Amino acid sequence: MTAPPSARALVVGEVLWDALPRGLFIGGAPFNVAAHLHTLGVDACFVSRVGDDRLGREVCRRVTQRGLAADLVQVDTGHETGFVEVDLDHDGIPSYTIVEPVAWDHIAWTDGLAAEADGASMVIFGSLAQRSPTTRATLERMLSATPTATAVFDINLRAPFVDRAVVERSLARADIVKLNDDELVLLQAWYGLPDGMDASAEGLMERFAVDTLCVTRGAEGALLWHEGERYAHPGYQANVVDTVGAGDSFLAMLLTELLAGAPGAEALDWANRLGAYVAGQPGATPAYSRRDLFDLPAK
């Protein structure tokens, strides 16, 4: 399925270079989500900020190369382009050292951004870019300017930038929330949610009036609560190269399918397919087509 042509998603947040053992890869969860949405046929606008440096110019070139417009990627003359050192364990699970301050900490509200926000049907954002007051204020202004747009919060906590107040404000505005099972455990402790994954997820939805909630569980698949129903999927087998970007591709596919009106079970199946495929490829945004996802081994 493909998303309806009227759907326009604004994806807001960090773009950076992941320094992986095999070299430098463009990344950042919002960029990854935007790139996958575009691949899947969604009109995605990417909003970020880079330095006036060689890595920043290469970001803009790669953004355009992926078919995304670079108009909303701002250029900062006072801060460098984002950079992250990524270490992979023996299972391909990453840990991150995120440099600060960098350009994406200073995403500004502009006339061009206001114009794009006016036509957005969905705003997708995470917690990391909100570590700085400038970007946080811009995102809050964008959400205020798009009261009818679906707000999608991909929690995506990255230590040491875990701010309970940021998470709470974002949850209060969100219509769709994606988080992983470790993040759910943390929120369970913060808010005194009931024991058990199902009970704590449903308690979180009730507390913050969230319409749709997805909990990813790594190799164990994912759970989805959508339109009053609960769906579970065990995931697909993957020969893991690295898991960088797998969750971002999962979210992009889930949103694409839900935008197209797919049933929850079908949307969750496709999301797991793409997440497993990306985990088996180097980098966060490998090339693929739908046919590449048909023959993945089930568990």
Side-chain angles (χ1 to χ4, degrees):
M1 302 181 89
T2 56
S6 59
R8 175 181 293 178
L10 278 181
V11 191
V12 188
E14 65 273 14
V15 64
L16 43 84
W17 289 94
D18 286 323
L20 290 158
R22 293 179 305 282
L24 291 179
F25 291 84
I26 188 172
F31 168 77
N32 296 339
V33 171
H36 285 291
L37 285 172
H38 177 76
T39 296
L40 295 168
V42 177
D43 181 7
C45 300
F46 179 54
V47 181
S48 191
R49 193 172 178 99
V50 297
D52 186 16
D53 50 33
R54 180 172 295 179
L55 289 179
R57 288 187 286 275
E58 184 62 17
V59 165
C60 292
R61 191 182 77 83
R62 299 283 184 98
V63 167
T64 303
Q65 188 180 55
R66 292 303 300 254
L68 294 164
D71 307 35
L72 299 181
V73 179
Q74 303 166 7
V75 177
D76 191 316
T77 58
H79 298 89
E80 295 181 347
T81 300
F83 194 86
V84 176
E85 297 173 2
V86 184
D87 292 316
L88 302 175
D89 67 15
H90 64 281
D91 294 320
I93 307 300
S95 59
Y96 305 91
T97 302
I98 305 171
V99 175
E100 66 168 330
V102 291
W104 54 259
D105 287 312
H106 300 275
I107 300 172
W109 183 258
T110 64
D111 291 342
L113 186 49
E116 287 294 341
D118 186 54
S121 55
M122 180 176 289
V123 178
I124 304 167
F125 60 98
S127 62
L128 179 57
Q130 296 186 70
R131 71 181 182 178
S132 75
T134 301
T135 297
R136 185 165 63 247
T138 296
L139 175 60
E140 290 173 353
R141 189 167 179 179
M142 183 183 303
L143 291 170
S144 296
T146 55
T148 62
T150 300
V152 181
F153 180 35
D154 181 9
I155 293 182
N156 208 19
L157 298 178
R158 292 285 180 262
F161 308 107
V162 178
D163 188 323
R164 179 171 173 173
V166 164
V167 173
E168 286 191 15
R169 284 195 298 269
S170 300
L171 286 170
R173 179 60 179 86
D175 303 297
I176 299 174
V177 172
K178 171 187 161 285
L179 72 169
N180 63 36
D181 45 4
D182 289 335
E183 291 165 341
L184 181 58
V185 170
L186 177 60
L187 269 59
Q188 180 184 25
W190 280 358
Y191 304 123
L193 300 173
D195 292 336
M197 188 172 297
D198 282 21
S200 58
E202 290 163 6
L204 186 68
M205 293 181 71
E206 182 178 358
R207 181 184 181 105
F208 290 99
V210 172
D211 297 327
T212 297
L213 181 78
C214 185
V215 180
T216 58
R217 306 176 62 199
E220 302 304 314
L223 302 172
L224 174 68
W225 286 261
H226 178 62
E227 295 184 339
E229 300 291 336
R230 174 194 180 276
Y231 305 93
H233 196 288
Y236 286 90
Q237 294 183 30
N239 295 319
V240 175
V241 174
D242 68 64
T243 62
V244 177
D248 305 327
S249 67
F250 176 103
L251 177 60
M253 180 66 88
L254 182 69
L255 294 175
T256 299
E257 291 297 300
L258 293 180
L259 277 170
E266 183 178 325
L268 190 59
D269 179 73
W270 276 108
N272 275 280
R273 286 176 183 271
L274 183 54
Y277 178 83
V278 170
Q281 308 297 317
T285 56
Y288 58 88
S289 66
R290 290 262 182 169
R291 68 176 61 92
D292 295 320
L293 311 180
F294 281 112
D295 298 325
L296 294 173
K299 289 185 176 179

